[in-house]
Amino acid sequence: MNTSVFLLALSFLPFFEARNQAANFIIAPPAEGVEAKAEKPDMTGYTICPACVGKRELLLEEPDFGQHDGRLLGGSKKKRKKCPLCKGEGRFASFMDPADITLQIARDHETFVAEHRGKGELSVGEAFVPHDAYESLDRNKKKMIEEAFGKACTKCNWSGIEACKKCSGRGVLPCPENDCKNGFLVTKTTTEKTRRRSGGMSGNNGYNRNSGFRSSSGSRTKTIKETKTTVLVCPTCEGAKFVLCPECNGRKAHPCKKCNGLGIKKKGGGF
Ligand SMILES: [Zn+2]
Ligand SMILES: [Zn+2]
Ligand SMILES: [Zn+2]
Ligand SMILES: [Zn+2]
């Protein structure tokens, strides 16, 4: 189902580089007007609708449970309808897959570290500084550099988002309707019909066996069970088999509450 693991159109590398640049401004302040813009990449995108697989419509094929008493012999009832899950869009706006984002951040951070180590730089907290500059840094400067880069939020690890717990980051849930089978509601109702009949008026078997014994007073009942199958398009998912997650409304994730979506650990001592 997930084919995009290494193909995410986003990179956190510029974000890490910008944070590192800001940290290095502690050693060599930037020229007037130069800023390090450490913005996270845009993690929003689209999810292909799992109900219509992007086709915008559903082909509903009513399952045959004998509900038509054989009247549909040889053919099933097919009906096209606008996909109710994506409202005919074929996709819906969401965050990129949170698991993919987590993986992407890990890879980009690895690349960031490898590139700076490759240049012979030394780490100060999460930041990297040139080897020569490192020698001249006192404790206070190091602390400032460390703080300028910041630390990852322990909950979301730089991403600023948390996968929705309700749907495990999928954005949709299986139709919650108990009787929903592949988008159809199949209900079986059994009715019992009781018929009273008097001994003398009953069918041959009864009549023969009882004749002469209870011909006038004997009255017996016969119960007939009738099972009726009703097949309806499920009113909950309207045939889509899935519903949008009510927690994230299909967006798969929420901004991280711990860091207010910044992805960065708040400094000790409050806001
Ligand atoms: Zn759809
Ligand atoms: Zn966070
Ligand atoms: Zn359903
Ligand atoms: Zn959700």
Side-chain angles (χ1 to χ4, degrees):
M1 191 163 156
N2 205 335
T3 54
S4 59
V5 174
F6 300 117
L7 299 168
L8 274 197
L10 102 164
S11 170
F12 271 74
L13 208 48
F15 169 77
F16 290 130
E17 288 301 345
R19 300 204 72 80
N20 201 53
Q21 196 187 3
N24 274 272
F25 285 163
I26 306 287
I27 302 166
E32 198 79 33
V34 175
E35 275 181 89
K37 270 196 183 160
E39 279 171 17
K40 293 200 300 297
D42 184 10
M43 290 173 284
T44 54
Y46 289 95
T47 295
I48 297 294
C49 172
C52 64
V53 216
K55 289 178 183 157
R56 298 161 181 253
E57 59 174 22
L58 299 178
L59 183 61
L60 295 182
E61 204 168 328
E62 191 179 303
D64 191 0
F65 285 94
Q67 67 272 27
H68 299 293
D69 300 326
R71 273 180 282 122
L72 267 174
L73 270 183
S76 56
K77 234 179 163 183
K78 284 185 189 174
K79 205 172 103 188
R80 284 181 191 281
K81 71 181 274 189
K82 188 167 110 177
C83 177
L85 189 66
C86 61
K87 300 184 174 55
E89 298 286 320
R91 58 186 196 172
F92 46 86
S94 74
F95 278 102
M96 290 171 182
D97 201 308
D100 287 355
I101 292 172
T102 303
L103 198 62
Q104 189 71 39
I105 290 173
R107 290 166 60 85
D108 290 338
H109 189 259
E110 225 171 76
T111 307
F112 166 76
V113 170
E115 278 178 3
H116 287 273
R117 283 211 180 121
K119 284 191 257 180
E121 296 182 359
L122 296 168
S123 64
V124 178
E126 295 264 338
F128 282 90
V129 299
H131 196 277
D132 299 345
Y134 187 87
E135 314 280 293
S136 63
L137 297 172
D138 56 23
R139 260 184 69 187
N140 197 35
K141 273 267 167 69
K142 281 183 185 165
K143 204 174 172 218
M144 283 163 76
I145 291 167
E146 224 178 293
E147 278 174 10
F149 193 104
K151 281 196 170 81
C153 167
T154 50
K155 190 143 198 204
C156 66
N157 190 34
W158 300 115
S159 75
I161 60 161
E162 289 180 87
C164 172
K165 285 193 182 77
K166 176 107 184 161
C167 62
S168 309
R170 286 190 298 266
V172 294
L173 294 168
C175 177
E177 175 60 55
N178 276 338
D179 293 322
C180 176
K181 291 197 175 61
N182 287 324
F184 286 90
L185 267 194
V186 181
T187 42
K188 284 195 165 112
T189 39
T190 305
T191 43
E192 291 193 353
K193 280 184 186 161
T194 309
R195 278 192 202 145
R196 287 194 82 179
R197 53 185 185 179
S198 63
M201 301 285 281
S202 63
N204 285 338
N205 287 343
Y207 179 78
N208 289 340
R209 248 188 266 145
N210 293 308
S211 96
F213 294 96
R214 303 195 245 166
S215 56
S216 60
S217 65
S219 139
R220 302 187 303 148
T221 55
K222 193 180 177 188
T223 305
I224 302 161
K225 276 189 184 174
E226 259 181 26
T227 304
K228 203 176 171 230
T229 307
T230 320
V231 180
L232 291 170
V233 174
C234 170
T236 306
C237 67
E238 298 175 65
K241 303 174 209 173
F242 298 98
V243 293
L244 278 189
C245 169
E247 285 280 307
C248 64
N249 204 25
R251 292 184 58 78
K252 299 181 166 186
H254 310 280
C256 172
K257 283 192 194 82
K258 190 161 186 169
C259 63
N260 292 325
L262 293 174
I264 301 152
K265 190 175 181 175
K266 283 184 202 158
K267 289 186 187 112
F271 217 21

